[in-house]
Amino acid sequence: MKSQTSEKLLVEKAVKGDGEAFGELVRLYEKFVYNTAYGFLLQADDAFDVSQNAFLKAWRAIKGFKGESSFSTWLYRITVNCAKDSLAQRNKKRLELSSTDEEKVLDIPVSETPEKEYIRKEEVAELRRAIDALDEDMREIIVLREMSGLSYDEISKTLDIELGTVKSRLNRARTRLREILLEQKDKTLVK
Amino acid sequence: MNCKEIREMLGDLLDGECEREKEVLSHLESCEDCKREYDELVELKKKFKDVVEESKLSLADSVVGEIRKELYPKKKTPFFLRHIGLAASLVIIACLALYSSLPKPESADEAKNTASEDFRFAVMKDAVAELEEEAEPEDALLPFPRVEAEPESAPVPMPEAESIKGETYKDDSKVQYEITTETVFDEDIISATLYKNFEIIVDADIDSVYDILKDEVEIISSSEEEIIIPTEDTETAISLLYSNSFTPSNVNLSYSPNELPSVIKTE
């Protein structure tokens, strides 16, 4: 990871229109942006498209970046907005899809694997479905913490909420997530 | 603190963001229910690591590629520049037509001149044959001006130069030649230039190629076997072929205008 000084230099160059410097920033933040997008979309191709869109939006807007927040917080906000927009569009489309198609979106291909691998994949699939079932504000905060890896302070700045709100919302999100997972298990047992 | 308060802080403890870490840890040592709750949260957190499917594509490469496209867009050559060579050719053809339509002056030495032309034609044939032998294999398609070295002795009086232009065939392809005879100190210095069409071979049927090229480049003529275009349009044609997923061969040449037109053939 580059030092903060070199990141600052890269940002300054990018603001002046240096595409190669912005490219370096893309390399620094690609994992974060992709993981965040994946957390919202839960599908690799969609996450890739949203990530690319977020970076290109950032590139086109960087001339107006005044440094009022850190570059990372600014990029996090763009990413979250792009991911939420894309998720909203997809949810709209989902209403038109049949339930069978909906299952396909979240299906994980499971080939003949050892039992443990099968169980692990099943658990991950259950967790994806649970994340997908969370309300938007809970989903947003759980994704930023668990998948994007942001600290409470970074989440607070990105979402522009108090630190106490981060804690309480995250707590509620985890509780709800576990409830959904339990509900899913119960449904499976009934079947 | 009671269990309810502790449980509200288990997530913070898990994230390393708990302000009352010591108190919570101490409680966990003595409370099995809260410890079980904490362990469940730890398990949940572990599962998140497997949730993200890695992308098969390189995000950074893709984004940087898009930015480069924005920064350095391909510039299309303006219409008048793309056709300037053709326009120049038309002017030359018009001048030649005008010249040849003028009445030729009667000359007393006409018979002698004819004989001299026959001689030069024979010389030309030899020169062309010699050029064909000299040509390196990789030069085979280059419109090479191979000029014999002139004597370097100085001072040299202004030579009287005459030239003959014509067409012949080499490896079933039409070539143009220009033989120039210069008289220096009563000695004939013969130089020869051989031009040959650029030939581009395409792995597609000729009609598809024609459809791709017709709106973008000048088509001089076309048949079932080949399409003839001006040399200056050759690079445009090649880029069009590539952008339509065809694979033209013989394209690593430098296409300078004012040479013979280019020939596009299919395999």
Side-chain angles (χ1 to χ4, degrees):
Chain A
M1 180 66 83
K2 300 248 181 189
S3 70
Q4 283 188 334
T5 320
S6 64
E7 182 184 310
K8 200 182 164 197
L9 202 67
L10 288 171
V11 173
E12 281 171 10
K13 284 182 177 180
V15 169
K16 287 174 188 166
D18 187 335
E20 299 304 320
F22 189 82
E24 286 300 308
L25 290 167
V26 173
R27 288 180 209 288
L28 283 176
Y29 285 98
E30 65 174 324
K31 195 170 171 58
F32 162 79
V33 169
Y34 178 79
N35 283 2
T36 305
Y38 191 93
F40 280 91
L41 281 306
L42 298 168
Q43 210 270 342
D45 291 343
D46 289 352
F48 186 90
D49 291 345
V50 165
S51 306
Q52 177 161 304
N53 188 23
F55 275 125
L56 291 175
K57 270 193 175 174
W59 163 246
R60 285 161 197 157
I62 201 165
K63 275 185 185 171
F65 176 70
K66 302 276 187 275
E68 286 158 356
S69 63
S70 68
F71 173 77
S72 57
T73 304
W74 181 75
L75 181 64
Y76 299 161
R77 282 181 189 153
I78 291 174
T79 306
V80 170
N81 286 337
C82 283
K84 280 162 80 173
D85 286 349
S86 181
L87 184 66
Q89 279 177 12
R90 199 174 71 183
N91 285 343
K92 204 177 164 187
K93 278 183 192 168
R94 264 193 195 178
L95 293 173
E96 296 157 18
L97 291 172
S98 69
S99 57
T100 325
D101 290 336
E102 192 173 334
E103 281 298 313
K104 273 183 195 167
V105 174
L106 294 170
D107 191 30
I108 298 179
V110 179
S111 54
E112 286 183 19
T113 51
E115 197 181 353
K116 275 188 180 177
E117 179 71 2
Y118 178 82
I119 291 168
R120 192 191 64 81
K121 282 192 175 180
E122 269 301 296
E123 284 177 349
V124 170
E126 279 168 9
L127 181 54
R128 283 190 189 134
R129 282 193 285 269
I131 296 168
D132 205 38
L134 280 175
D135 288 343
E136 190 183 298
D137 61 341
M138 291 188 191
R139 180 178 187 149
E140 180 181 67
I141 206 155
I142 206 92
V143 165
L144 287 178
R145 175 62 211 153
E146 301 295 0
M147 297 169 82
S148 315
L150 295 193
S151 68
Y152 285 12
D153 185 48
E154 286 169 322
I155 294 171
S156 159
K157 284 174 181 164
T158 303
L159 300 181
D160 202 16
I161 53 176
E162 295 293 323
L163 205 60
T165 313
V166 173
K167 288 185 179 186
S168 58
R169 199 180 287 178
L170 204 46
N171 199 29
R172 278 193 294 121
R174 282 183 171 131
T175 307
R176 180 70 193 125
L177 199 59
R178 286 165 67 210
E179 282 171 8
I180 296 168
L181 285 167
L182 280 174
E183 285 166 14
Q184 284 177 357
K185 270 190 184 166
D186 290 346
K187 276 185 190 173
T188 315
L189 287 174
V190 170
K191 279 181 188 174
Chain B
M1 284 192 291
N2 59 32
C3 286
K4 189 174 178 289
E5 287 172 316
I6 290 290
R7 285 183 192 188
E8 280 175 3
M9 283 189 271
L10 290 179
D12 303 345
L13 181 72
L14 191 69
D15 291 330
E17 304 253 6
C18 185
E19 289 160 2
R20 299 167 75 178
E21 190 179 320
K22 277 184 185 174
E23 288 171 69
V24 177
L25 283 173
S26 164
H27 179 89
L28 289 181
E29 279 176 15
S30 57
C31 179
E32 277 189 22
D33 286 349
C34 287
K35 177 74 170 66
R36 197 179 308 115
E37 180 93 3
Y38 180 72
D39 290 343
E40 280 179 24
L41 283 174
V42 172
E43 284 305 308
L44 180 65
K45 197 174 184 71
K46 279 183 190 168
K47 284 179 196 163
F48 270 103
K49 287 180 183 168
D50 294 325
V51 168
V52 179
E53 290 171 278
E54 294 299 321
S55 171
K56 288 166 192 162
L57 302 168
S58 164
L59 182 59
D61 289 351
S62 171
V63 173
V64 171
E66 287 296 318
I67 290 171
R68 282 183 183 149
K69 272 189 212 167
E70 281 184 18
L71 285 174
Y72 318 111
K74 280 186 181 173
K75 285 180 186 167
K76 196 175 176 183
T77 314
F79 181 85
F80 75 95
L81 277 180
R82 279 195 287 136
H83 294 86
I84 200 164
L86 179 70
S89 306
L90 289 173
V91 169
I92 292 166
I93 290 166
C95 290
L96 285 172
L98 184 67
Y99 176 76
S100 59
S101 67
L102 293 173
K104 287 180 183 173
E106 288 296 322
S107 168
D109 295 325
E110 194 177 350
K112 189 185 166 188
N113 281 347
T114 310
S116 169
E117 211 154 280
D118 286 347
F119 165 73
R120 280 184 296 203
F121 191 74
V123 170
M124 171 272 295
K125 273 191 166 177
D126 291 345
V128 170
E130 196 179 321
L131 282 168
E132 286 175 357
E133 279 175 23
E134 282 179 12
E136 298 290 328
E138 61 267 30
D139 286 341
L141 287 168
L142 284 170
F144 52 94
R146 275 181 185 273
V147 181
E148 285 186 9
E150 290 182 22
E152 288 183 3
S153 56
V156 179
M158 286 298 287
E160 290 174 23
E162 289 180 66
S163 69
I164 303 172
K165 290 178 181 174
E167 289 179 348
T168 185
Y169 282 86
K170 179 181 184 299
D171 302 332
D172 295 330
S173 297
K174 195 184 277 184
V175 290
Q176 277 187 356
Y177 56 77
E178 183 177 359
I179 307 295
T180 307
T181 310
E182 291 173 314
T183 309
V184 183
F185 292 128
D186 296 331
E187 199 171 320
D188 281 347
I189 307 294
I190 302 165
S191 58
T193 308
L194 188 66
Y195 300 109
K196 186 176 177 180
N197 296 94
F198 289 115
E199 278 188 1
I200 298 140
I201 313 294
V202 190
D203 57 344
D205 69 280
I206 206 82
D207 290 339
S208 315
V209 175
Y210 181 85
D211 287 342
I212 290 161
L213 301 182
K214 65 180 178 185
D215 296 328
E216 298 290 332
V217 302
E218 186 75 27
I219 307 281
I220 295 172
S221 69
S222 66
S223 69
E224 287 179 4
E225 287 86 32
E226 60 186 31
I227 298 168
I228 313 287
I229 60 165
T231 314
E232 63 268 24
D233 279 357
T234 311
E235 284 173 347
T236 309
I238 288 167
S239 67
L240 282 166
L241 290 168
Y242 273 125
S243 61
N244 282 278
S245 305
F246 294 132
T247 319
S249 50
N250 284 347
V251 296
N252 54 341
L253 302 172
S254 166
Y255 300 96
S256 53
N258 303 320
E259 303 293 354
L260 284 181
S262 295
V263 182
I264 298 176
K265 288 180 171 178
T266 53
E267 276 182 326

